[in-house]
Amino acid sequence: MPGVAVKLYSLFFKFMLKHRLQNRIQIDDTSSNVHSFGVTSRRNEESVAPSNPLFTDGVATKDLHVNPGTVVSVRIFLPESCLSVHEESDQKWQMQSTGNVLGSDSNQAPLRRNSYGNHKNNGYSHRRTSPGCVADDVYRGYSPVVKKNCRKLPVMLQFHGGGFVSGSNDSTANDLFCRRIAKLCDVIVLAVGYRLAPEDRYPASFEDGLNVLNWLAKQANLAECSKSVGIRRGGGTDLKKSDSFGHIADAFGASLVEPWLAAHADPSRCVLLGVSCGGNIADYVARKAVESGKLLDPVKVVAQVLMYPFFIGSVPTHSEIRLANSYFYDKALCTLAWKLFLPEGEFDLDHPAANPLTPGRGPPLKRMPPTLTVIAEHDWMRDRAIAYSEELRKVNVDAPVLEYKDAVHEFATLDMLLKTPQAQACAEDIAIWVKKYISLRGHEFSY
């Protein structure tokens, strides 16, 4: 059974969540759609972790808006392992460019890191970045040098939880979880900040997830376009080309290329990871990716991870009856969240967004990517997630289920539970399974 601290925190959490959901129902009834731009976070309800473009703890982060028409954003989590290939090559390159040989000058060590700002001693204490960075007087974060030997890492799109009505991609809990996943899986994590309900109801958040996947494909194509015309941005020296090439590159949006993704992302190895209601979004995005086929090239979704997905249905399962009043998110609160999320007049627990086994929901299940499902022992949503995995296995899709004893809903992603043995074991198990599909060396069973 969960500990006393978890039980007490669960009672407080459910009390506050019920109060917030009731307030949102009242606000939604008394106001017309005043948030036309969208809402992706509620700053007065949760703590926020600022982005940090330095590898202070092994992961650098930055925030980006992907759609100028909405508030949809992503937080990029770039693990420091992406720099490992540079260390030896950067040292050799710098020695060749300066004409120095290791050991030829005892007073000058080979440079392996670049300092910020000017190299003159003007009283400013220069901070250092990681290998491959360039000097800059303003931007204090990692800036990759565009070279052919940049280490490419798989990309993981992560969708946070919160019942579609709360949570954010930059919350403290989600930031800690994504950092852990980025380091263990050795991937670039893109945490998606989608629009929340009731300001933006279904299908807003689902479309936001798909738009971010399309944005990733656009970024990959723009990066290739900028390479083809010989333009290097974000670090290094611009190659001298004719003005016509520059105009062509700008016309295709080369100036919008995200340097971290251009240098280190391998979109052909893309994984979707959804937490709670984010699992519903991830499954929708996976279905749309299957339908799109080669239209998403070079992006290829090779696997997805559904962590205690937010599935429900009109016919209750055994766990929905036995654990209806379980920890953190009980069934009554989740039903209220679905009423706030689904369009008015369309509330149905068998809605395609809610029930994964609703007929005519999308492409045949046999075309779905490998799907890992994570469930908790004391979570009322567990049985429906198991049933979905069973349907996938019936059509020969690799769809294992990992169940964690004495665990509750959101056990691996709530900040107060991140240090529990189950949370650490869950992240490591996800890394083991994901590496089967993203490793260039085949199956990897070590972390």
Side-chain angles (χ1 to χ4, degrees):
M1 291 294 291
V4 176
V6 174
K7 294 179 180 179
L8 293 176
Y9 186 76
S10 174
L11 291 175
F12 173 76
F13 182 90
K14 288 199 287 187
F15 173 79
M16 294 299 298
L17 182 60
K18 182 178 180 180
H19 176 71
R20 292 166 180 167
L21 292 178
Q22 291 175 343
N23 285 342
R24 281 175 200 142
I25 290 178
Q26 296 175 359
I27 294 174
D28 189 53
D29 291 339
T30 58
S31 63
S32 57
N33 190 15
V34 296
H35 297 282
S36 58
F37 194 64
V39 175
T40 61
S41 64
R42 308 188 190 278
R43 302 300 189 189
N44 60 331
E45 295 182 2
E46 58 187 351
S47 59
V48 175
S51 60
N52 182 7
L54 297 174
F55 296 101
T56 52
D57 62 346
V59 179
T61 60
K62 74 161 66 168
D63 296 324
L64 297 172
H65 281 280
V66 301
N67 189 342
T70 66
V71 72
V72 180
S73 64
V74 295
R75 169 164 288 189
I76 303 178
F77 294 82
L78 182 67
E80 194 171 14
S81 59
C82 70
L83 306 173
S84 60
V85 75
H86 285 300
E87 294 186 2
E88 183 178 354
S89 60
D90 283 350
Q91 180 177 335
K92 293 180 179 178
W93 177 81
Q94 288 171 356
M95 288 190 296
Q96 292 172 0
S97 62
T98 58
N100 291 334
V101 180
L102 187 62
S104 63
D105 188 351
S106 59
N107 296 325
Q108 181 178 5
L111 294 176
R112 294 179 63 181
R113 296 175 184 263
N114 292 322
S115 298
Y116 293 109
N118 299 323
H119 293 286
K120 297 179 181 180
N121 184 8
N122 56 3
Y124 179 78
S125 178
H126 298 296
R127 300 176 65 185
R128 299 192 301 172
T129 61
S130 298
C133 297
V134 295
D136 192 284
D137 288 325
V138 178
Y139 178 61
R140 301 292 176 181
Y142 168 64
S143 182
V145 176
V146 181
K147 295 190 295 185
K148 293 183 179 180
N149 61 343
C150 289
R151 186 183 179 210
K152 298 291 187 177
L153 296 178
V155 180
M156 177 180 287
L157 265 62
Q158 189 263 356
F159 304 95
H160 65 81
F164 300 111
V165 297
S166 61
S168 67
N169 64 332
D170 58 358
S171 66
T172 301
N174 198 68
D175 185 84
L176 291 172
F177 172 73
C178 289
R179 287 176 181 273
R180 171 180 285 178
I181 291 296
K183 287 188 285 189
L184 287 176
C185 296
D186 198 20
V187 298
I188 300 174
V189 176
L190 302 183
V192 180
Y194 54 84
R195 289 171 290 173
L196 301 177
E199 291 84 358
D200 292 279
R201 294 174 179 259
Y202 175 86
S205 57
F206 285 61
E207 292 177 345
D208 292 343
L210 182 59
N211 288 338
V212 171
L213 188 68
N214 289 322
W215 173 81
L216 178 62
K218 179 182 178 181
Q219 283 292 315
N221 290 321
L222 289 178
E224 290 299 321
C225 176
S226 64
K227 289 180 182 179
S228 66
V229 297
I231 293 180
R232 295 180 177 182
R233 299 182 184 271
T237 304
D238 289 350
L239 295 179
K240 295 182 179 180
K241 290 284 183 180
S242 64
D243 293 338
S244 60
F245 284 132
H247 290 311
I248 292 174
D250 288 336
F252 280 95
S255 59
L256 302 178
V257 173
E258 208 300 306
W260 288 9
L261 298 181
H264 299 294
D266 180 3
S268 65
R269 294 179 289 161
C270 181
V271 179
L272 307 177
L273 186 148
V275 178
S276 189
C277 67
N280 300 47
I281 300 175
D283 189 64
Y284 171 85
V285 174
R287 290 172 180 268
K288 291 300 180 181
V290 169
E291 292 177 349
S292 299
K294 293 184 178 181
L295 294 177
L296 279 174
D297 284 348
V299 173
K300 182 179 180 181
V301 176
V302 297
Q304 68 169 339
V305 180
L306 308 180
M307 301 182 66
Y308 23 85
F310 205 60
F311 294 150
I312 198 172
S314 59
V315 179
T317 62
H318 179 67
S319 63
E320 291 176 1
I321 297 174
R322 182 173 59 89
L323 301 170
N325 194 31
S326 57
Y327 302 93
F328 293 102
Y329 292 91
D330 58 35
K331 189 174 182 180
L333 288 177
C334 292
T335 304
L336 187 58
W338 277 110
K339 290 181 179 179
L340 286 170
F341 175 67
L342 294 176
E344 296 182 10
E346 297 184 20
F347 175 72
D348 181 7
L349 294 182
D350 286 327
H351 190 282
N355 191 341
L357 300 179
T358 300
R361 189 167 177 259
L365 292 181
K366 64 181 180 181
R367 298 176 57 193
M368 291 293 288
T371 302
L372 173 66
T373 303
V374 175
I375 61 174
E377 180 184 9
H378 300 286
D379 182 10
W380 64 268
M381 307 178 203
R382 59 190 302 276
D383 283 0
R384 203 170 297 275
I386 294 174
Y388 182 48
S389 295
E390 290 175 349
E391 293 299 317
L392 290 173
R393 289 196 296 274
K394 288 179 181 179
V395 291
N396 297 323
V397 175
D398 182 18
V401 177
L402 298 180
E403 180 178 6
Y404 293 85
K405 185 176 178 59
D406 294 333
V408 298
H409 192 80
E410 293 268 20
F411 74 94
T413 44
L414 280 178
D415 51 355
M416 73 157 297
L417 301 175
L418 279 171
K419 296 182 180 180
T420 60
Q422 296 97 326
Q424 179 65 26
C426 177
E428 294 173 350
D429 292 340
I430 290 174
I432 294 173
W433 185 82
V434 164
K435 286 183 178 180
K436 294 195 302 180
Y437 298 99
I438 63 175
S439 174
L440 295 176
R441 294 173 293 179
H443 291 241
E444 290 188 5
F445 295 96
S446 62
Y447 46 84

